[in-house]
């Protein structure tokens, strides 16, 4: 009899025994208490409080009030059964002026409590150092273009490492350099709301790569024990139209389309950051009319994992061009050339989408992770995956979210296929634990396993919460 025959979730059979099941959040999106207990202002405090910037003029001033309700939230995480929680530290809550010489004791106390409460329940804390809430005062002094910001960031990172490394093993330096630069400095819908040109926008990514590498070195130098450092990247991930074994062309086309830097994808691609900080080489920026970075060998101190925030991807098929080269080679024979041109497959009418209208493309979890693993050879943490649904309280007092359960089943099944194919996947952090402040969409978009009634701040576990709990439990059972 097949040992996995009785599994309720048969796709779990490929997941490794030490796999980490968790959820993710970020400080600005959940904490609130934006000006309490000595916290400094961040660019998100400024940006969201300017009328017109955020849907319904909402702000993260209160958010989910996790600053005051973290105990209840961590107890709920324990009930969910997760073994890891990825959260971010608000840089200006710890260092109100951004600079390392003035530390806020209330901030220290707050993050100590989060870490200690997690540990009490055997939940591994995974700390993100920068999830977009740059101290406003540093932005006023030139932000990421000012090398001092990079120095201050690495000083902050070193402090976190020195202070927490006895209790915290996992750290992400920067969350999504691609979204920071694109939405914050180019399109301008995120803080600090700038509209820089392509060259300056790419320079932000470059500066973030410097900040990351400097922080990694500084953190290792003071860590009290072996710590694991990575970052969280996002970008387009493609998957092949067909996977006929007779032809790998579509597969190659999907890989090429994923990692080729073009005018269409430079704002949202993994390699622009990851090639520099993992491989120590510049992505090909000449193809978008820019100079390649020539200092990548400084940017790639060894790291331990690569975090991928994965929401959706694109289907790609190959067009193969066979042509005789115009010149014959020395021996007189004609030079037969054959190459693949990737073509993006258009999504037809009625393509499945989430409430945010993001396409539902589970295959990306399989092929995308394999492509990432093949290129970077680092264990992958899925640092974020999930969806927004139009969740509401039903007449029976519960929140039924079958779309989320279906989505997660599909995405996790495909992740299992990536694992089966040899990609090393270390964990999965569902975005998000609770509904929260979804940046320029405000509170309209609900990504949580736990519903938040923002009037009362009451937490109501959705059906998907109980489903995820079942998954984690069965995973445990299937291992023992
Ligand atoms: C991530 N896109 O951002 C962030 O890390 C989270 O803070 C955020 O809440 C979550 O995804 C959901 O949006 C993204 O346009 C923002 O493709 C936009 C995109 C992707 C990720």
């Amino acid at each position: 009899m097949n040992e996995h025959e009785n599994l309720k979730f048969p796709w779990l059979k490929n997941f490794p025994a030490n796999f980490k099941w968790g959820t993710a959040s970020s400080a600005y999106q959940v904490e609130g208490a934006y000006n309490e207990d000595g916290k400094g202002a961040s660019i998100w405090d400024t940006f969201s409080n300017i009328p017109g910037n955020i849907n319904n003029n909402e702000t993260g001033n209160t958010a989910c009030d996790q600053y005051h309700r973290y105990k209840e939230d961590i107890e709920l995480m324990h009930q969910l059964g997760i073994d890891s929680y990825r959260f971010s530290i608000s840089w200006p809550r710890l260092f109100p002026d951004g600079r390392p010489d003035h530390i806020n004791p209330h901030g220290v106390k707050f993050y100590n409590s989060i870490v200690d409460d997690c540990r009490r329940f055997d939940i591994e804390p995974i700390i993100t150092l920068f999830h977009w809430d740059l101290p406003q005062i540093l932005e006023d002094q030139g932000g990421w273009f000012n090398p001092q910001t990079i120095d201050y960031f690495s000083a902050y990172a070193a402090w976190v490492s020195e202070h927490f490394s006895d209790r915290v093993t996992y750290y992400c330096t920067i969350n999504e350099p691609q979204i920071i630069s694109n939405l914050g400095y180019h399109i301008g819908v995120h803080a600090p709301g700038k509209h820089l040109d392509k060259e300056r926008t790419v320079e932000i990514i470059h500066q973030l790569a410097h900040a990351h590498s400097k922080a990694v070195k500084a953190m290792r130098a003071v860590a009290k024990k072996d710590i694991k450092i990575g970052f969280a990247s996002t970008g387009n991930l493609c998957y092949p139209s067909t996977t006929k074994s007779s032809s790998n062309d579509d597969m190659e086309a999907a890989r090429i389309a994923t990692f080729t830097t073009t005018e269409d994808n430079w704002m949202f691609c993994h390699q622009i950051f990851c090639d520099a900080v993992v491989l120590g080489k510049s992505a090909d920026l000449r193809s978008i009319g820019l100079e390649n970075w020539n200092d990548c060998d400084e940017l790639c101190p060894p790291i331990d994992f690569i975090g991928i925030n994965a929401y959706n991807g694109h289907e790609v098929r190959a067009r193969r061009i066979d042509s005789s080269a115009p010149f014959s080679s020395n021996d007189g024979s004609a030079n037969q050339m054959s190459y693949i041109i990737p073509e993006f497959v258009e999504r037809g009418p009625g393509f499945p989408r989430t409430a945010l209208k993001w396409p539902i493309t589970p295959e990306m979890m399989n092929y995308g992770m394999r492509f990432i693993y093949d290129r970077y050879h680092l264990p992958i943490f899925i640092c974020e995956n999930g969806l927004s649904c139009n969740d509401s309280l039903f007449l029976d007092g519960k929140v039924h979210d079958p779309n989320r359960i279906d989505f997660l089943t599909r995405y996790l099944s495909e992740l299992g296929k990536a694992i089966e194919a040899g990609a090393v996947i270390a964990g999965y952090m569902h975005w998000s634990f609770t509904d929260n402040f979804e940046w320029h969409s405000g509170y309209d978009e609900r990504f949580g396993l736990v519903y938040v009634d923002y009037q009362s701040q009451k937490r109501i576990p959705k059906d998907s919460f109980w489903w995820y709990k079942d998954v984690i439990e069965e995973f445990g059972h299937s291992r023992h």
Side-chain angles (χ1 to χ4, degrees):
M1 179 178 123
N2 179 338
E3 59 171 312
H4 302 301
E5 209 162 273
N6 294 323
L7 287 182
K8 193 162 159 199
F9 307 108
W11 40 266
L12 276 172
K13 69 181 178 356
N14 297 325
F15 285 66
N18 56 357
F19 194 81
K20 291 200 183 316
W21 293 98
T23 63
S25 73
S26 90
Y28 188 72
Q29 294 178 273
V30 299
E31 284 179 6
Y34 76 114
N35 61 359
E36 271 179 60
D37 289 350
K39 176 181 167 295
S42 82
I43 56 173
W44 270 96
D45 292 312
T46 310
F47 185 78
S48 69
N49 282 284
I50 296 172
N53 278 347
I54 309 291
N55 189 27
N56 303 323
N57 289 328
E58 288 159 349
T59 71
N61 293 359
T62 308
C64 308
D65 196 29
Q66 195 175 83
Y67 187 71
H68 298 113
R69 294 168 196 266
Y70 66 91
K71 275 204 180 293
E72 176 189 346
D73 283 349
I74 295 172
E75 270 163 30
L76 208 47
M77 287 177 208
H78 173 57
Q79 201 178 347
L80 175 58
I82 52 175
D83 52 33
S84 39
Y85 174 43
R86 173 178 176 244
F87 65 95
S88 81
I89 290 181
S90 157
W91 179 356
R93 190 180 296 287
L94 216 46
F95 295 102
D97 320 317
R99 306 153 61 108
D101 40 12
H102 166 203
I103 191 156
N104 173 19
H106 298 287
V108 177
K109 186 166 166 245
F110 173 61
Y111 294 113
N112 272 338
S113 308
I114 295 216
V115 164
D116 293 343
D117 274 21
C118 282
R119 296 227 68 96
R120 202 151 56 83
F121 289 121
D122 272 334
I123 297 171
E124 179 105 48
I126 302 178
I127 292 180
T128 304
L129 290 165
F130 185 64
H131 202 125
W132 309 355
D133 43 1
L134 184 69
Q136 179 63 48
I137 193 165
L138 298 188
E139 179 60 27
D140 296 341
Q141 294 161 12
W144 288 111
F145 288 118
N146 185 343
Q148 232 177 24
T149 301
I150 295 172
D151 291 342
Y152 292 159
F153 178 68
S154 78
Y156 151 55
W159 187 91
V160 169
S161 168
E162 191 168 14
H163 183 81
F164 287 111
S165 53
D166 56 339
R167 290 161 289 160
V168 179
T169 306
Y170 291 90
Y171 301 85
C172 291
T173 54
I174 292 176
N175 183 68
E176 299 186 348
Q178 297 88 348
I179 297 288
I180 295 172
S181 55
N182 175 19
L183 298 191
Y185 293 84
H186 187 56
I187 313 276
V189 293
H190 279 187
K194 304 231 183 245
H195 300 273
L196 305 181
D197 65 16
K198 180 172 61 182
E199 187 168 3
R200 294 283 283 167
T201 305
V202 170
E203 198 46 35
I204 289 281
I205 306 181
H206 197 180
Q207 292 293 89
L208 291 169
H210 276 282
H212 157 86
S213 72
K214 199 162 180 174
V216 171
K217 291 173 204 162
M219 291 172 80
R220 297 249 197 246
V222 297
K224 293 187 184 134
K225 63 164 202 241
D226 183 31
I227 55 174
K228 309 279 182 210
I229 314 180
F231 58 91
S233 177
T234 194
N236 190 34
L237 290 171
C238 301
Y239 56 93
S241 247
T242 57
T243 49
K244 273 186 262 143
S245 52
S246 57
S247 149
N248 280 327
D249 279 12
D250 284 349
M251 183 89 158
E252 247 351 89
R255 194 190 302 267
I256 293 167
T258 295
F259 295 117
T260 307
T261 314
T262 66
E263 286 296 345
D264 290 331
N265 89 343
W266 66 270
M267 288 185 286
F268 193 59
C269 67
H270 287 281
Q271 73 275 8
I272 204 164
F273 189 78
C274 302
D275 279 13
V277 303
V278 180
L279 306 178
K281 64 179 199 204
S282 179
D284 180 15
L285 301 174
R286 285 163 310 188
S287 59
I288 55 168
L290 303 179
E291 299 280 314
N292 281 351
W293 301 345
N294 59 16
D295 52 4
C296 292
D297 46 345
E298 293 168 33
L299 301 180
C300 56
I303 54 171
D304 307 286
F305 65 90
I306 184 167
I308 301 291
N309 295 354
Y311 289 94
N312 56 73
H314 230 115
E315 181 179 339
V316 164
R317 71 173 153 246
R319 189 148 59 91
R320 182 171 276 284
I321 310 279
D322 293 306
S323 71
S324 296
F327 305 108
S328 51
S329 50
N330 285 343
D331 63 6
S333 65
N335 199 354
Q336 200 56 37
M337 300 253 291
S338 174
Y339 48 93
I340 288 171
I341 298 186
E343 289 182 341
F344 287 94
V345 177
E346 238 179 79
R347 299 181 185 119
F351 195 91
R353 285 177 192 275
T354 70
L356 246 178
K357 298 294 172 206
W358 291 1
I360 299 176
T361 58
E363 303 89 335
M364 169 275 290
M365 277 306 236
N366 174 7
Y367 297 100
M369 296 316 139
R370 286 157 66 178
F371 296 157
I372 292 280
Y373 187 70
D374 288 349
R375 191 174 181 92
Y376 298 113
H377 299 291
L378 282 173
I380 296 171
F381 264 103
I382 307 299
C383 274
E384 289 180 24
N385 171 243
L387 75 162
S388 74
C389 298
N390 295 317
D391 299 315
S392 62
L393 214 49
F394 279 55
L395 279 172
D396 63 2
K398 298 180 178 165
V399 179
H400 303 294
D401 58 343
N403 293 46
R404 181 167 286 106
I405 293 172
D406 184 73
F407 177 103
L408 295 179
T409 305
R410 290 172 191 269
Y411 275 62
L412 285 168
S413 307
E414 293 292 321
L415 186 60
K417 292 185 195 166
I419 295 170
E420 192 171 24
V424 176
I425 315 287
Y428 174 89
M429 306 297 126
H430 176 76
W431 185 271
S432 179
F433 181 60
T434 56
D435 294 337
N436 58 50
F437 177 77
E438 176 53 25
W439 308 113
H440 65 281
S441 306
Y443 296 97
D444 275 3
E445 301 300 337
R446 294 181 175 273
F447 276 85
L449 298 172
V450 176
Y451 181 89
V452 176
D453 171 356
Y454 292 106
Q455 271 67 49
S456 64
Q457 289 292 350
K458 191 166 176 227
R459 274 71 166 143
I460 301 161
K462 302 177 191 176
D463 288 355
S464 58
F465 176 101
W466 305 111
W467 174 88
Y468 196 47
K469 180 180 170 68
D470 263 9
V471 168
I472 300 170
E473 255 168 30
E474 165 147 317
F475 181 77
H477 296 154
S478 66
R479 305 294 108 183
H480 299 124

